[in-house]
Amino acid sequence: IQETPPDILITNVSMLNAMLAREVDAPVITKTREWIEANDDAYFFLVLDELHLQRGSAGTETSYLLRLLFERLGLTSPKHRHKLRI
């Protein structure tokens, strides 16, 4: 996965947090960002199941985790913001 990031990655909040924190997983994020930035037709789809269950401090942690993911993928940039599909 680190060498060739998948087109579809199914994960949960805990593993996403681990991936964003571990240096060994940095290539997955970096290569995905490069793909998003290099291709006009690239779209990043995020599917969140049972998100309504994330409330209180767990909901806050999830929102910050997603903000970090979007930032690391370059999806907060006005130039690429439209490529995010939730």
Side-chain angles (χ1 to χ4, degrees):
I1 289 177
Q2 285 94 2
E3 291 179 19
T4 309
D7 289 339
I8 298 173
L9 176 64
I10 299 172
T11 188
N12 59 37
V13 173
S14 297
M15 282 308 300
L16 180 59
N17 186 37
M19 285 182 68
L20 290 170
R22 293 188 305 204
E23 191 174 313
V24 70
D25 290 324
V28 175
I29 304 300
T30 302
K31 290 178 183 180
T32 301
R33 181 182 183 133
E34 290 169 355
W35 169 74
I36 290 169
E37 292 175 344
N39 296 290
D40 290 335
D41 295 331
Y43 289 94
F44 184 83
F45 290 87
L46 176 64
V47 178
L48 298 165
D49 188 26
E50 302 293 336
L51 186 62
H52 66 279
L53 296 175
Q54 299 294 325
R55 296 183 179 179
S57 61
T60 301
E61 290 176 20
T62 301
S63 71
Y64 284 126
L65 180 64
L66 293 175
R67 288 179 190 189
L68 176 61
L69 174 65
F70 301 152
E71 178 67 32
R72 298 263 312 267
L73 292 176
L75 292 168
T76 57
S77 163
K79 185 176 180 181
H80 300 291
R81 189 176 297 147
H82 71 280
K83 296 180 177 184
L84 175 61
R85 300 288 192 258
I86 299 177

